[in-house]
Structures are given as C-alpha cells and as structure tokens.
Amino acid sequence: MLGVSTKIEELLTSVSDPEIPVLSIMDMGIVRKVELVDNVYRIDITPTYSGCPAMDTIGDDIVSAFEKEDLKAKINLVLAPAWTTGWITERGRKALEDYGIAAPRTAEVDKAALLGEANTIKCTNCGSLNTKMVSRFGSTACKALFQCVDCHEPFDYFKCLK
Amino acid sequence: MLHEKLYDYLLHLGDNSMILGQRLGELCGHGPELETDIALTNISLDLFGQVRNYFQAAAQIKGGDATEDSVAMLRYEHEYKNTYLVEQPNEDFAHVIVRQFFFDVYHQLILNELMNSKNETLVAIAKKSIKEVDYHVDFSSTWVKRLGDGTEESHEKAQTAVSTLWRYSMELFKATETESWAAESRVGPDLDQLKSVYLERVSSILKEATLSLPEETVFQYGAKTGRHSENMGYILAEFQYMQRAYPNMKW
Ligand SMILES: [Zn+2]
C-alpha cells in the first residue's frame, strides 16, 4: 500500500498499538506515508483519536524499531485526512476479534445499538447476537463497553469512526 | 498583525475545551458510577487532545521557545479566553451534564463551520474533532433527557441546573474583537448567525426532557475578555501548579 520494501513494511508491522498489542500499526491503518529523504525515513502517522495517548509511544516505538536495524526514522503527525475505522485491514479486524474486541461495524449499526433497537454486535465469547451496550465510552477512547445477554461476558467494541 | 490575531483566535478555541476538560478531569474517580466516570474522563481526554492541536499551532505562530505546554500553562488568569460556562463548578451530576450539553451543542456548531475555514490547520483540526464531538453531543443529550424525564428528584435537579447555567450560555455567541476578525476574514464562523440554530437545538432536546429554559435571564458576559469568575483562580491554581512550582519540568 505504501510502496515500500518488504523489509520496511515488516519493520512497521512489528510495531503495535500499546493499548491493543495484537494490532499492528499497519493493520490499524495509521501509517499514511513513508518517504526516504537523505537516508532518513520520514513516516507520516495519523492519530485514531485526538487525545490518544498511544501516539507518542507509537512514534517512539517506530524510531527504535528502525534504530535496531541501523536505520533512521523521523515521525510526522498528520491530522488530515482524519482516520476512520474503515482503514483497519481485514487482518486487523480478525486480530481484534481473536483478542476479544468486537471489530467496528457501521455508523448506522452503532446508532441502532445505542438506541437498543437491534442486536448486531456479536459476543466475542460465545458468538451470540443477543448483546447490549453498557456504555458508549469504554476502557480507551476508541472503544465502547458491551455485555452479552446470553453468557454475561462483558466485552469491548471498537467504535465506528467515519 | 494577522498572525497575532490568529494566535489569539486559537486561544479562544482552545481555552473553552481546556478548562472544561480540566473540570471533567476533576471527576476522575469521583463519577456517580463507573461507566459515567469513564465517559466523562474520555470526553475530557478528547477535549485535551483537541486543545493540543490548537496550541501546537499557536506555539508555532508565537515562535521562540513557546511550546503547547507554555501556551496552555503559563498565562495569567486574565489572558485566558474561555467563557463563564466552562468554569462553573461540578456541583452535582445534573450540573455536569447540563453544562456539558450547553457546551457540546455550541461546540458541534462551531466545528461544523470551521471545516470550511480559510485556514487549513483549522480545517484539519475541525474534521478530526467533529467525529469525537458528535459522540459528546449524543452522550450529554441522552443524559439530559434521562434526568429531565426521569424521577421527580432527577427532574428537579436537572431543572435547577438548567435555570442556573443558562445565564452563561449566550456569552458563547457574543463575539470578541478577535472572533469578529475571524468571521470577517472567513477564518471562523459568524457567531451571531449560529445563535438561532443553537436555541432551536437546545430547546428541542429540553422539551423532550420535559425541562424548560428560565423565562427571564440576565445573561453574563465578560470571561472571554479576561474578567473571569472567582472559580477561575482555583482552577488555575490546580492546573498550573506543577509548572509554577517546578518551571519547565517535563514528564
Ligand atoms: Zn456471549
């Protein structure tokens, strides 16, 4: 996607979101551009949420991953275009589900779930669709808290951001 | 000159969110229940994240050794440009929600307009922030309805909060010299034009919530131009403590 060598892509893939360690930053879709200028990799990343405290850590982690390979990286934080959950890759969505976080659906589904109109978010424990939203704000800015009505498992849902 | 105005305008935008974020931060660990505690602090975090974007831009304009932190922390009380509304104390959950609701509806309107600003940085910040603020509006509107149309006690408390806080609402729409400059140069919205939409939106939610605006209101103006209420000193005492006690300290 970024037009970089396999090695650089692997390096970037090795860095993950510190709050969701199973999700690589490449699968999260926050790496927007990589450019090699004067032997320095200039890497544009974009925040998921404005106040996401993970961004500084992610930047540092990229730089040190590159340093380990004797490469220099410089991080540039870009705001536009704004990140959307649509940029999470298929592999990323699968990693989220396996980790116990329901992957984002659509804005309409979110709204219906909030209003208690439809059971559309699948329980990450038993797979039941009989789930309810407990709180629109969850353990981190990007997640909402759900609970399964059948098996009672509380679980996170990655909110849709369009 | 233009830069000075833009700097000032960025402070106008950032200060409201920052002081409200600080007020919400006070509730961390003190929310009425775990979910609302987390929601309010999440909103605070969103607001601070947005403020960082405004103040990074402001620090760039200011130049020298200015940073987002010095812009945020190292001003005197009269140099902050937030409104009276956001410096009002938390009091009870009804006050917290109604204050949030009055601000959120305004905030959403402003960001919608800023997405068409002539200033590219503001466009980028607004496009990012609006997605978060849409959630805030949903959250506070839902709670206003739940409290207002809830039990006798929750209704009474919500009505008291509406009657107390409404007097601070119109200051949001009274343009200062800087905000008038922003409107004229198409950097920011014409606040006066947004007032009627604001009133419509607020009234319609309040109606659903079986709450009503006070009949006669003497609106309070002045915080935006530096005449803050007594609350502000206490907020800043806590907010600036580390930077004042240990100048230039870093995490
Ligand atoms: Zn289940």
Side-chain angles (χ1 to χ4, degrees):
Chain A
M1 175 193 103
L2 298 163
V4 294
S5 67
T6 322
K7 182 179 174 187
I8 297 302
E9 190 163 336
E10 271 170 14
L11 263 179
L12 288 167
T13 307
S14 74
V15 178
S16 60
D17 180 337
E19 281 168 348
I20 313 170
V22 293
L23 191 58
S24 142
I25 55 168
M26 289 298 276
D27 287 329
M28 206 155 47
I30 62 166
V31 181
R32 304 314 299 165
K33 203 166 102 184
V34 180
E35 246 180 348
L36 183 60
V37 182
D38 296 332
N39 277 327
V40 177
Y41 286 92
R42 297 197 180 174
I43 301 169
D44 285 0
I45 56 175
T46 192
T48 51
Y49 278 74
S50 301
C52 181
M55 292 315 290
D56 292 340
T57 314
I58 289 173
D60 292 348
D61 287 351
I62 296 175
V63 172
S64 54
F66 275 65
E67 269 171 3
K68 272 189 205 141
E69 298 293 322
D70 281 324
L71 299 170
K72 278 200 189 105
K74 196 168 180 297
I75 306 300
N76 182 32
L77 203 60
V78 293
L79 291 180
W83 182 82
T84 94
T85 40
W87 292 354
I88 300 177
T89 63
E90 262 322 302
R91 192 172 61 181
R93 295 174 63 89
K94 173 119 195 350
L96 280 174
E97 298 270 352
D98 291 344
Y99 190 57
I101 300 172
R105 303 284 303 275
T106 62
E108 293 69 40
V109 170
D110 274 23
K111 192 149 198 181
L114 175 79
L115 298 170
E117 280 170 358
N119 298 326
T120 39
I121 312 295
K122 209 190 259 180
C123 168
T124 54
N125 185 45
C126 75
S128 165
L129 281 171
N130 192 11
T131 59
K132 60 173 187 191
M133 188 185 286
V134 177
S135 170
R136 192 154 198 179
F137 295 87
S139 55
T140 63
C142 54
K143 286 175 276 171
L145 188 62
F146 271 70
Q147 189 179 19
C148 176
V149 179
D150 287 338
C151 77
H152 301 297
E153 175 85 354
F155 61 95
D156 275 330
Y157 165 65
F158 207 111
K159 281 187 279 205
C160 171
L161 200 66
K162 274 269 142 57
Chain B
M1 185 59 190
L2 182 133
H3 277 75
E4 223 167 274
K5 292 273 191 202
L6 184 59
Y7 174 79
D8 217 46
Y9 189 56
L10 287 164
L11 298 189
H12 270 83
L13 293 169
D15 284 348
N16 271 325
S17 296
M18 183 171 73
I19 299 302
L20 184 57
Q22 178 70 7
R23 275 294 190 217
L24 293 174
E26 288 171 19
L27 292 162
C28 186
H30 301 275
E33 56 172 7
L34 186 63
E35 285 78 15
T36 32
D37 187 303
I38 290 172
L40 293 167
T41 42
N42 261 310
I43 293 173
S44 172
L45 185 64
D46 283 345
L47 292 173
F48 269 106
Q50 296 165 13
V51 171
R52 287 189 62 186
N53 293 331
Y54 290 124
F55 288 178
Q56 280 163 9
Q60 250 177 19
I61 293 174
K62 196 153 195 213
D65 49 10
T67 64
E68 55 181 295
D69 283 338
S70 70
V71 172
M73 307 275 182
L74 300 180
R75 279 183 279 149
Y76 292 107
E77 182 179 311
H78 68 271
E79 295 171 312
Y80 285 86
K81 300 175 193 305
N82 58 281
T83 56
Y84 283 130
L85 177 69
V86 296
E87 55 189 59
Q88 295 310 304
N90 291 332
E91 299 286 351
D92 59 16
F93 186 59
H95 274 75
V96 171
I97 290 299
V98 171
R99 182 186 64 200
Q100 192 65 34
F101 170 63
F102 286 164
F103 180 74
D104 287 344
V105 176
Y106 157 84
H107 199 191
Q108 193 182 36
L109 282 171
I110 293 290
L111 291 173
N112 251 316
E113 296 293 318
L114 286 175
M115 292 200 285
N116 301 313
S117 165
K118 272 182 81 178
N119 182 290
E120 273 179 37
T121 309
L122 285 177
V123 174
I125 297 175
K127 283 189 173 165
K128 181 84 206 153
S129 310
I130 190 83
K131 300 181 178 194
E132 295 154 9
V133 171
D134 286 347
Y135 270 101
H136 303 174
V137 175
D138 265 347
F139 173 81
S140 58
S141 314
T142 309
W143 268 108
V144 163
K145 291 183 226 168
R146 205 162 148 188
L147 294 177
D149 196 16
T151 65
E152 207 177 302
E153 189 183 355
S154 74
H155 174 85
E156 197 190 303
K157 287 187 169 174
Q159 185 58 58
T160 304
V162 168
S163 304
T164 310
L165 294 171
W166 182 243
R167 75 193 65 172
Y168 304 114
S169 61
M170 284 304 115
E171 189 188 11
L172 293 163
F173 296 94
K174 185 164 171 147
T176 60
E177 220 176 283
T178 302
E179 284 168 320
S180 299
W181 162 84
E184 277 157 30
S185 42
R186 305 202 164 264
V187 166
D190 182 341
L191 293 174
D192 210 45
Q193 280 187 3
L194 296 176
K195 208 153 57 176
S196 57
V197 192
Y198 179 81
L199 288 171
E200 245 169 65
R201 290 194 186 170
V202 166
S203 309
S204 107
I205 300 282
L206 288 182
K207 197 173 163 212
E208 265 188 80
T210 71
L211 296 167
S212 48
L213 291 174
E215 274 174 22
E216 274 177 36
T217 307
V218 180
F219 290 104
Q220 303 292 310
Y221 305 96
K224 261 159 111 168
T225 49
R227 279 185 288 121
H228 290 283
S229 66
E230 186 187 357
N231 295 311
M232 192 65 180
Y234 290 98
I235 296 173
L236 291 181
E238 190 171 359
F239 183 64
Q240 298 185 334
Y241 170 77
M242 290 296 262
Q243 278 299 328
R244 296 291 187 199
Y246 306 96
N248 300 322
M249 73 151 307
K250 282 201 168 71
W251 288 111

PDB file of all heavy atoms in Angstrom, chain A residues 123 125-128 148 150-153, ligand 1:
ATOM      1  N   CYS A 123     -21.147 -11.256  20.371  1.00  0.00           N
ATOM      2  CA  CYS A 123     -20.369 -11.518  21.583  1.00  0.00           C
ATOM      3  C   CYS A 123     -19.055 -12.182  21.186  1.00  0.00           C
ATOM      4  O   CYS A 123     -19.042 -13.146  20.421  1.00  0.00           O
ATOM      5  CB  CYS A 123     -21.146 -12.426  22.527  1.00  0.00           C
ATOM      6  SG  CYS A 123     -20.150 -13.070  23.883  1.00  0.00           S
ATOM      7  N   ASN A 125     -17.209 -13.854  23.061  1.00  0.00           N
ATOM      8  CA  ASN A 125     -17.005 -15.075  23.823  1.00  0.00           C
ATOM      9  C   ASN A 125     -17.817 -16.239  23.249  1.00  0.00           C
ATOM     10  O   ASN A 125     -17.268 -17.288  22.939  1.00  0.00           O
ATOM     11  CB  ASN A 125     -17.377 -14.838  25.291  1.00  0.00           C
ATOM     12  CG  ASN A 125     -17.081 -16.033  26.173  1.00  0.00           C
ATOM     13  OD1 ASN A 125     -16.003 -16.625  26.064  1.00  0.00           O
ATOM     14  ND2 ASN A 125     -18.016 -16.391  27.029  1.00  0.00           N
ATOM     15  N   CYS A 126     -19.145 -16.042  23.059  1.00  0.00           N
ATOM     16  CA  CYS A 126     -19.985 -17.158  22.626  1.00  0.00           C
ATOM     17  C   CYS A 126     -20.585 -16.955  21.234  1.00  0.00           C
ATOM     18  O   CYS A 126     -21.243 -17.848  20.708  1.00  0.00           O
ATOM     19  CB  CYS A 126     -21.089 -17.417  23.647  1.00  0.00           C
ATOM     20  SG  CYS A 126     -22.418 -16.201  23.602  1.00  0.00           S
ATOM     21  N   GLY A 127     -20.396 -15.781  20.667  1.00  0.00           N
ATOM     22  CA  GLY A 127     -20.895 -15.562  19.316  1.00  0.00           C
ATOM     23  C   GLY A 127     -22.354 -15.148  19.240  1.00  0.00           C
ATOM     24  O   GLY A 127     -22.883 -14.897  18.154  1.00  0.00           O
ATOM     25  N   SER A 128     -23.011 -15.025  20.377  1.00  0.00           N
ATOM     26  CA  SER A 128     -24.430 -14.637  20.369  1.00  0.00           C
ATOM     27  C   SER A 128     -24.597 -13.191  19.916  1.00  0.00           C
ATOM     28  O   SER A 128     -23.745 -12.339  20.163  1.00  0.00           O
ATOM     29  CB  SER A 128     -25.001 -14.794  21.779  1.00  0.00           C
ATOM     30  OG  SER A 128     -26.235 -14.115  21.871  1.00  0.00           O
ATOM     31  N   CYS A 148     -22.790  -9.401  26.846  1.00  0.00           N
ATOM     32  CA  CYS A 148     -23.586 -10.451  26.221  1.00  0.00           C
ATOM     33  C   CYS A 148     -24.719 -10.816  27.181  1.00  0.00           C
ATOM     34  O   CYS A 148     -24.495 -11.049  28.365  1.00  0.00           O
ATOM     35  CB  CYS A 148     -22.716 -11.673  25.946  1.00  0.00           C
ATOM     36  SG  CYS A 148     -23.648 -13.055  25.269  1.00  0.00           S
ATOM     37  N   ASP A 150     -26.632 -13.458  26.809  1.00  0.00           N
ATOM     38  CA  ASP A 150     -26.680 -14.915  26.968  1.00  0.00           C
ATOM     39  C   ASP A 150     -25.615 -15.463  27.913  1.00  0.00           C
ATOM     40  O   ASP A 150     -25.929 -16.158  28.858  1.00  0.00           O
ATOM     41  CB  ASP A 150     -26.555 -15.589  25.596  1.00  0.00           C
ATOM     42  CG  ASP A 150     -27.839 -15.418  24.784  1.00  0.00           C
ATOM     43  OD1 ASP A 150     -28.897 -15.179  25.417  1.00  0.00           O
ATOM     44  OD2 ASP A 150     -27.784 -15.502  23.543  1.00  0.00           O
ATOM     45  N   CYS A 151     -24.349 -15.110  27.663  1.00  0.00           N
ATOM     46  CA  CYS A 151     -23.298 -15.692  28.514  1.00  0.00           C
ATOM     47  C   CYS A 151     -22.778 -14.694  29.546  1.00  0.00           C
ATOM     48  O   CYS A 151     -21.883 -15.009  30.327  1.00  0.00           O
ATOM     49  CB  CYS A 151     -22.149 -16.246  27.661  1.00  0.00           C
ATOM     50  SG  CYS A 151     -21.043 -14.977  27.016  1.00  0.00           S
ATOM     51  N   HIS A 152     -23.320 -13.469  29.534  1.00  0.00           N
ATOM     52  CA  HIS A 152     -22.980 -12.425  30.510  1.00  0.00           C
ATOM     53  C   HIS A 152     -21.567 -11.858  30.386  1.00  0.00           C
ATOM     54  O   HIS A 152     -21.129 -11.084  31.226  1.00  0.00           O
ATOM     55  CB  HIS A 152     -23.215 -12.900  31.953  1.00  0.00           C
ATOM     56  CG  HIS A 152     -24.630 -13.309  32.198  1.00  0.00           C
ATOM     57  ND1 HIS A 152     -25.680 -12.424  32.104  1.00  0.00           N
ATOM     58  CD2 HIS A 152     -25.172 -14.514  32.493  1.00  0.00           C
ATOM     59  CE1 HIS A 152     -26.807 -13.071  32.339  1.00  0.00           C
ATOM     60  NE2 HIS A 152     -26.537 -14.349  32.565  1.00  0.00           N
ATOM     61  N   GLU A 153     -20.838 -12.268  29.375  1.00  0.00           N
ATOM     62  CA  GLU A 153     -19.473 -11.775  29.200  1.00  0.00           C
ATOM     63  C   GLU A 153     -19.490 -10.269  28.871  1.00  0.00           C
ATOM     64  O   GLU A 153     -20.180  -9.839  27.944  1.00  0.00           O
ATOM     65  CB  GLU A 153     -18.813 -12.537  28.034  1.00  0.00           C
ATOM     66  CG  GLU A 153     -17.425 -12.048  27.653  1.00  0.00           C
ATOM     67  CD  GLU A 153     -16.318 -12.665  28.506  1.00  0.00           C
ATOM     68  OE1 GLU A 153     -16.647 -13.379  29.469  1.00  0.00           O
ATOM     69  OE2 GLU A 153     -15.148 -12.422  28.195  1.00  0.00           O
TER      70      GLU A 153
HETATM   71 ZN    ZN C   1     -21.764 -14.379  24.907  1.00  0.00          ZN
END
